Amino acid sequence: MASSCCRTWHLLLAIFLLSSAAYGQLSPSFYATSCPLLELTVRATMVTALLAERRMGASLLRLHFHDCFVQGCDGSILLDDVGTSFTGEKTAFPNVNSVRGYDVIDRIKSAVELLCPGVVSCADIVALAARDGTFLLGGPSWTVPLGRRDSTTASLAEANADLPGPTLNLDQLIRAFDKKQLTPRDLTALSGAHTIGFSQCQFFRDHIYNGTNIDPAFAALRRQTCPAAAPAGDANLAPLDAQTQLVFDNAYYRNLVAQRGLLHSDQQLFNGGSQDALVRQYGTNPALFAADFVAAMIKMGNIAPLTGTNGQIRRNCRVVNS
């Protein structure tokens, strides 16, 4: 009996340690008692949002990425500028007139506050919305570790410095992800988020006019709606994945093999470098891509979260509690 109890205790301890290693201080069951209808509420609002505009799934996935790469996954990207007293991250070059979905986060937060006032962080809502946006567009689902708290600060400088830009080469991309404790494999898997969504002409103009590693027919197609001379057409949109622009699949990687990556930084993943073999694998093995994407999303979602008594639970995602 004692031996059996000891074995059971050791098994439970091993499971706890494995869970802690994967999730850090976060837990998928964090709101199980305090807000049991949280995930159903997020999902319902996301379904409504995507019925109105399917592209919003990609936008909210990107919002999570842009949140986590600046100060960690703390909801700092959601904070509005307040006169001269507070500067947020929304006007950073990678975010301004580009990052979308703030209004959907507001709607989710309002619905959650009616059920569980003062309990659920905006940072956790962003993480759940990113997961649901992926799933509702045909991608994988995953259990989201929860328990993040919201920052009372933001960093315009860090947003400008740390968010990887579309002109980076492979070495620069690897360094940018390594700075966030993400591996080259994580980089290549997370880049698969570009299987959905759109980019503005200003971000791919140089690649389609001056790139040497782009399919000529694809470049010609994109030039039709992206004039060579800026600022004409700067905000014109093109799908990151021309094949299945609003379906989360592995077509992005097949595009790269065919030199049909929209952004210079995309095509860098398949350009005679260290990620070529993995890109080929993802292009032919959707299950492998899905598994690696989920693992990388969970890992990214665990970048420097505020937990315990750090930060706060904002009442309004756009402003720090007064």
Side-chain angles (χ1 to χ4, degrees):
M1 177 83 68
S3 175
S4 175
C5 288
C6 186
R7 284 196 299 271
T8 300
W9 167 247
H10 284 156
L11 176 61
L12 291 172
L13 179 61
I15 292 171
F16 171 77
L17 290 173
L18 286 170
S19 299
S20 297
Y23 298 138
Q25 295 177 296
L26 306 179
S27 166
S29 60
F30 187 84
Y31 299 109
T33 302
S34 59
C35 197
L37 295 179
L38 168 63
E39 296 202 33
L40 284 175
T41 305
V42 174
R43 178 64 59 87
T45 309
M46 286 295 295
V47 167
T48 301
L50 266 68
L51 284 173
E53 183 191 14
R54 283 178 62 82
R55 179 188 168 203
M56 190 53 69
S59 297
L60 288 164
L61 178 55
R62 183 168 181 248
L63 180 66
H64 184 39
F65 178 89
H66 280 229
D67 183 33
C68 290
F69 260 60
V70 183
Q71 296 192 167
C73 308
D74 61 358
S76 60
I77 193 173
L78 304 174
L79 291 169
D80 286 340
D81 291 358
V82 181
T84 58
S85 63
F86 184 90
T87 302
E89 298 162 13
K90 291 181 178 179
T91 57
F93 178 71
N95 296 335
V96 67
N97 299 320
S98 176
V99 170
R100 312 166 69 243
Y102 302 115
D103 55 329
V104 177
I105 299 300
D106 289 341
R107 292 202 295 273
I108 297 172
K109 177 66 171 174
S110 295
V112 171
E113 283 294 299
L114 288 174
L115 294 172
C116 322
V119 171
V120 180
S121 70
C122 301
D124 276 343
I125 287 172
V126 169
L128 288 167
R131 187 272 310 273
D132 285 0
T134 300
F135 174 71
L136 291 170
L137 290 179
S141 187
W142 60 93
T143 301
V144 178
L146 300 166
R148 302 168 189 81
R149 287 169 66 85
D150 297 321
S151 70
T152 57
T153 63
S155 178
L156 181 70
E158 190 174 331
N160 279 319
D162 283 11
L163 286 167
T167 63
L168 297 190
N169 63 34
L170 182 58
D171 287 343
Q172 291 169 323
L173 288 167
I174 289 173
R175 286 198 297 271
F177 277 68
D178 179 68
K179 188 175 181 180
K180 307 300 176 183
Q181 288 76 56
L182 296 169
T183 67
R185 191 180 188 97
D186 295 328
L187 156 67
T188 302
L190 289 171
S191 295
H194 285 179
T195 187
I196 50 176
F198 296 76
S199 183
Q200 297 179 23
C201 165
Q202 62 177 317
F203 300 126
F204 60 83
R205 175 183 281 117
D206 186 64
H207 183 52
I208 63 172
Y209 283 98
N210 302 313
T212 58
N213 57 346
I214 185 169
D215 173 61
F218 177 68
L221 173 67
R222 289 292 157 248
R223 289 172 187 164
Q224 292 176 12
T225 54
C226 182
D234 271 4
N236 290 356
L237 295 174
L240 289 159
D241 170 6
Q243 295 185 60
T244 53
Q245 56 195 250
L246 291 174
V247 177
F248 194 101
D249 56 20
N250 64 334
Y252 167 80
Y253 298 102
R254 296 193 296 275
N255 292 338
L256 297 186
V257 172
Q259 293 193 314
R260 294 170 65 87
L262 183 65
L263 304 177
H264 171 81
S265 54
D266 285 330
Q267 197 58 57
Q268 285 291 297
L269 298 177
F270 189 85
N271 193 39
S274 63
Q275 300 307 294
D276 282 18
L278 186 58
V279 168
R280 286 191 186 277
Q281 284 183 285
Y282 287 162
T284 58
N285 190 336
L288 176 64
F289 163 54
D292 281 5
F293 181 80
V294 165
M297 284 296 295
I298 293 172
K299 189 174 177 181
M300 184 187 77
N302 202 36
I303 297 175
L306 297 172
T307 57
T309 58
N310 295 316
Q312 61 181 209
I313 303 298
R314 287 188 217 133
R315 291 186 293 272
N316 177 343
C317 291
R318 293 174 180 264
V319 295
V320 174
N321 295 343
S322 57

